Amino acid sequence: MVILKRLATVIPTLIGVIVVTFLLTRVLPGDPAVYFAGPAATPQSIAEIRKSLGLDRSLPDQFLRYVNDLAHGNFGNSLSTGRPVAAEISSRLPASAELTLFGLFLAIAIAVPLGIFAAVKQGSLIDHLCRVIATAGVSLPVFFTGLLLVYLFYFRLGWSPAPLGRLDAFATSPRDITGFYLVDSLITGNFETFRAALAQLILPAVTLAVFSLAPITRMTRASMLAVLAAEFIRTARASGLDRRTVILTYAFRNAMLPVVTTLGMVFSFLLGANVLVEKVFAWPGIGSYAVEALLQSDFAPVQGFVLTMAVLYVALNLIIDMLYGVIDPRVRVEA
């Protein structure tokens, strides 16, 4: 019942996203008909292109046609590529998802232990290091971090391959199973492609991880400090339980709810930061696809991108609500 109630609140959110996205794309500067007609086009040819695109109709009429297409699973066609937007997004989404999830995994692997150590050893060197990392992560824009990593590890040291997509020119794509190159190459036993894909993925993933380290580390530290000061932790210590059991079994599990909430927020931030990272590393994801379409006044891909991000964000929040009940049974009982 709780899941059904949450799903009921999703519908107004998606309707609002559809309406706002449609209106915003129509008020953006630039005319798709003028762009695709070319600089030597006559007013008559521009008018014909505008009519063929349906841009000569009223806004309500255009919106109704757009909603009708969405109801049939049609996101429209991209004017720049000529392909259906749904096909473009489905082919590019695994690249963005692999990059985002790998970056989030790196951030969790570093930030959560760092936050726990900082809380347990409050005021120590590791606590100050935690604050420095958090401040640096918030202060550095993702595009600057990405360019700095490319300059250092590719241009100066030569340790990283050229930041040009998911694979270098000498590697072959694995058989498409999940769309994730790392997973597909392991399933098919293509370890050469796995190493090539991992080498291309590390720098953009580290860029995203640096961006997301700050909120995860700070929330883990703050939540652990609050739990470690609770009475049941003092009782557990007085009962003679070893330090590791008290910290990981009792303290960390009770401190996980705010951390999980932060992870959901960070994941949504990473979906937005992906756009800049994909442009820096020439990553063939939906973020770079949307930017290219926006520069060309191509409405359909931009609308499809925003709607896809909204659905992913809503689905993520639903998963987080379900995890609350798994982590803390009291939340499930109250619901």
Side-chain angles (χ1 to χ4, degrees):
M1 283 299 295
V2 176
I3 297 177
L4 292 178
K5 290 179 181 179
R6 291 288 299 174
L7 288 175
T9 62
V10 167
I11 298 176
T13 303
L14 294 180
I15 292 175
V17 169
I18 292 172
V19 174
V20 171
T21 306
F22 176 83
L23 294 177
L24 286 179
T25 53
R26 292 311 186 273
V27 300
L28 288 174
D31 188 342
V34 174
Y35 179 85
F36 287 98
T42 63
Q44 182 180 359
S45 62
I46 294 176
E48 290 176 356
I49 294 176
R50 186 177 288 113
K51 183 178 180 180
S52 65
L53 297 177
L55 298 177
D56 61 329
R57 301 172 181 267
S58 63
L59 276 181
D61 191 14
Q62 293 182 45
F63 180 72
L64 290 177
R65 288 165 62 91
Y66 174 60
V67 172
N68 181 62
D69 289 340
L70 286 181
H72 292 84
N74 180 17
F75 284 11
N77 291 334
S78 172
L79 300 178
S80 54
T81 64
R83 295 187 59 196
V85 173
E88 292 273 9
I89 290 178
S90 62
S91 64
R92 291 171 174 264
L93 185 58
S96 296
E98 185 175 39
L99 173 59
T100 304
L101 292 175
F102 194 73
L104 185 62
F105 172 78
L106 289 179
I108 294 173
I110 298 172
V112 172
L114 187 60
I116 294 174
F117 285 134
V120 172
K121 300 184 178 296
Q122 187 179 8
S124 64
L125 179 62
I126 194 170
D127 190 17
H128 294 301
L129 177 64
C130 174
R131 296 177 185 177
V132 170
I133 292 177
T135 304
V138 171
S139 305
L140 296 175
V142 286
F143 67 88
F144 175 79
T145 305
L147 292 173
L148 186 62
L149 291 177
V150 169
Y151 175 77
L152 180 61
F153 291 101
Y154 168 65
F155 182 74
R156 299 294 299 179
L157 299 176
W159 294 353
S160 175
L164 298 173
R166 303 179 73 182
L167 288 174
D168 57 39
F170 303 101
T172 57
S173 302
R175 183 161 57 90
D176 190 8
I177 301 174
T178 64
F180 289 21
Y181 279 8
L182 295 182
V183 177
D184 292 348
S185 57
L186 284 178
I187 292 175
T188 57
N190 192 345
F191 299 108
E192 201 63 39
T193 299
F194 176 82
R195 285 192 291 269
L198 182 61
Q200 294 288 133
L201 184 61
I202 286 178
L203 281 191
V206 169
T207 302
L208 288 178
V210 171
F211 172 74
S212 54
L213 273 176
I216 301 175
T217 305
R218 295 179 68 175
M219 181 55 68
T220 303
R221 178 183 180 276
S223 184
M224 283 292 295
L225 284 175
V227 172
L228 288 173
E231 292 185 1
F232 73 92
I233 295 297
R234 289 196 292 268
T235 303
R237 286 171 173 166
S239 301
L241 296 175
D242 63 275
R243 184 183 180 88
R244 182 186 181 89
T245 302
V246 171
I247 293 175
L248 296 181
T249 304
Y250 289 89
F252 181 60
R253 180 165 185 177
N254 284 275
M256 279 182 67
L257 284 183
V259 177
V260 170
T261 304
T262 304
L263 289 179
M265 297 172 58
V266 167
F267 186 79
S268 64
F269 294 157
L270 292 183
L271 290 176
N274 243 351
V275 176
L276 296 174
V277 175
E278 287 179 8
K279 294 303 293 182
V280 171
F281 292 91
W283 197 262
I286 57 175
S288 57
Y289 173 61
V291 171
E292 293 166 3
L294 187 61
L295 294 176
Q296 298 171 358
S297 299
D298 195 354
F299 295 152
V302 177
Q303 293 171 167
F305 168 77
V306 175
L307 186 58
T308 303
M309 292 297 101
V311 171
L312 289 176
Y313 183 74
V314 168
L316 179 67
N317 278 275
L318 183 62
I319 293 173
I320 289 174
D321 287 344
M322 296 170 61
L323 284 176
Y324 283 167
V326 175
I327 296 171
D328 192 345
R330 293 173 298 180
V331 177
R332 187 166 61 247
V333 171
E334 291 173 2

